[in-house]
Amino acid sequence: MASLDHLETPIPLINLDRLDANLGRMIRGAQRHQVGLRVHFKSFKCASLAKYLQTQGIRSFLCATLNEAEILVDAGIQDLLLANQVVGLNKAKRLVDLGKQADLSTCVDCPAHVEELIQALANQESRLGVFIEINVGMDRCGIETGEEALALARLIEKEPRLRLRGLQAYDGHLQGREETPERESLCRAGLDKAQVIRDHLGREGFVVEVVSGAGTSTWETVASHPVTTEIQPGSFLLMDAQYNRLRPEFQVSLTVMGTILGSRAGRYILDVGSKAISQDFTKPFVVDHPHEEVVKLNEEHTIVRFEGPPPRVGERRYLISGHCCATMNLHRRVAVHRSGKLEAIWPIEASGLYG
Ligand SMILES: Cc1ncc(COP(=O)(O)O)c(C=O)c1O
């Protein structure tokens, strides 16, 4: 097997041994709390990785966009939730096409969403699942009350090709926060709200099979709440500098390999810029070089401050990104390795695609 040395930089690398360890940890955690595990595809956007996860026992996937859903269905994924509202008749028709090939659900939070799905389903041999999204505190999308949920459930019921599957209760506002008692109580309060809404629907005869939520940060609080039936994290597989601080029990498996272009006066320049690594949440870190600190990213360069003897031109460095999902979105391919031995180069089919 080839080493990574001959690869041209900058290039993202995934350490499969570490990814396996993260996956095993999350699978065991979900089993311990008796909830399902739905892995978020938007964190890696790579069909080969989704197929690899399938071989490791993952059957359910979440995605953020229609493009991602199309790529996953093409890859043979059968159990899929699009965690967003799909708006526009053309997009709704793309969704309906996918519903002919896979067990696909989407989110709604107002009657217009359901009405458009019904319009797109006219004369089509397709079925779609529907999740009602609840605002559990993120203040982005989502309904607030049991009455709103009931109105949507009644509308969904009118179209036999739509089926109310569950409630979407993602707590994105809590993902970047430290695990404090305050965060725990905010997280539980959001899920209590989901429980009230689920019970309201139940009293009116609507069975809610699934209540789905959580990210990498809050997975365990969410999994331990009685209303939760499945968790939907994604970043735990690859990890980044922010999650490494918040959830150090998961290992960073994604790095971006760069090459030193030159050095002077206590700083060196790496060929990894903001077009090759994300600094969304925090600046990237240099792996295994504690005396080297990223100062600044330009588009094609990273400036790193160092102590001690200057590194050689051409030396390699590995950076931990400031946000793994955004980093995968910057590249078209990723090198996959075990213990530094290259296993494959995988395309990142959904990177740079929106909508
Ligand atoms: C709807 C939804 N669910 C789950 C997640 C996964 O979160 P994480 O990347 O923290 O694992 C995200 C992330 O943005 C999300 O938007």
Side-chain angles (χ1 to χ4, degrees), residues 40 42-43 62 83 140 168 170 175 214-217 232-236 243 325:
H40 205 333
K42 67 112 206 192
S43 295
L62 188 73
R140 189 171 65 184
Q168 163 73 354
Y170 172 61
Q175 298 309 321
T216 296
S217 217
Q232 47 174 251
S235 297
F236 72 99
Y243 272 135
C325 316

Side-chain angles (χ1 to χ4, degrees), residues 22-237:
N22 293 342
L23 181 63
R25 177 179 281 274
M26 193 60 94
I27 289 174
R28 287 190 300 278
Q31 283 167 350
R32 202 166 58 245
H33 291 282
Q34 299 183 312
V35 293
L37 174 57
R38 183 178 289 283
V39 171
H40 205 333
F41 180 70
K42 67 112 206 192
S43 295
F44 48 91
K45 289 175 163 274
C46 165
S48 302
L49 180 47
K51 288 189 204 164
Y52 176 75
L53 295 175
Q54 256 194 330
T55 67
Q56 305 302 301
I58 298 298
R59 293 281 169 271
S60 308
F61 287 85
L62 188 73
C63 62
T65 66
L66 204 44
N67 276 301
E68 290 176 357
E70 286 165 345
I71 286 162
L72 281 170
V73 170
D74 248 16
I77 304 300
Q78 277 300 307
D79 177 359
L80 190 54
L81 168 59
L82 203 173
N84 263 317
Q85 292 71 29
V86 172
V87 171
L89 195 55
N90 279 348
K91 281 192 173 181
K93 286 182 175 165
R94 281 164 65 193
L95 199 63
V96 166
D97 278 344
L98 292 178
K100 295 173 185 167
Q101 303 164 60
D103 177 1
L104 172 70
S105 296
T106 186
C107 290
V108 301
D109 70 1
C110 73
H113 299 144
V114 184
E115 283 154 9
E116 198 159 57
L117 292 178
I118 294 175
Q119 201 184 339
L121 277 164
N123 305 318
Q124 297 292 320
E125 284 302 311
S126 176
R127 288 184 186 282
L128 291 174
V130 182
F131 277 61
I132 297 175
E133 182 161 357
I134 300 174
N135 178 15
V136 289
M138 195 180 182
D139 293 337
R140 189 171 65 184
C141 301
I143 57 145
E144 300 289 340
T145 65
E147 279 307 310
E148 280 178 89
L150 190 57
L152 289 172
R154 289 193 171 131
L155 198 53
I156 292 163
E157 195 183 30
K158 284 192 182 153
E159 168 55 68
R161 284 163 291 190
L162 287 180
R163 184 155 78 91
L164 176 62
R165 296 291 305 277
L167 302 179
Q168 163 73 354
Y170 172 61
D171 53 351
H173 57 304
L174 302 176
Q175 298 309 321
R177 292 180 60 158
E178 304 283 342
E179 193 169 3
T180 59
E182 193 200 352
R183 193 194 77 172
E184 298 311 281
S185 76
L186 285 171
C187 184
R188 276 195 293 272
L191 293 163
D192 292 346
K193 183 171 170 183
Q195 194 161 10
V196 168
I197 291 173
R198 185 203 62 183
D199 293 347
H200 188 79
L201 287 171
R203 280 192 300 278
E204 298 293 331
F206 291 99
V207 180
V208 173
E209 290 160 38
V210 184
V211 178
S212 193
T216 296
S217 217
T218 59
W219 78 267
E220 192 148 23
T221 314
V222 175
S224 63
H225 192 285
V227 80
T228 304
T229 68
E230 69 173 32
I231 51 171
Q232 47 174 251
S235 297
F236 72 99
L237 288 168

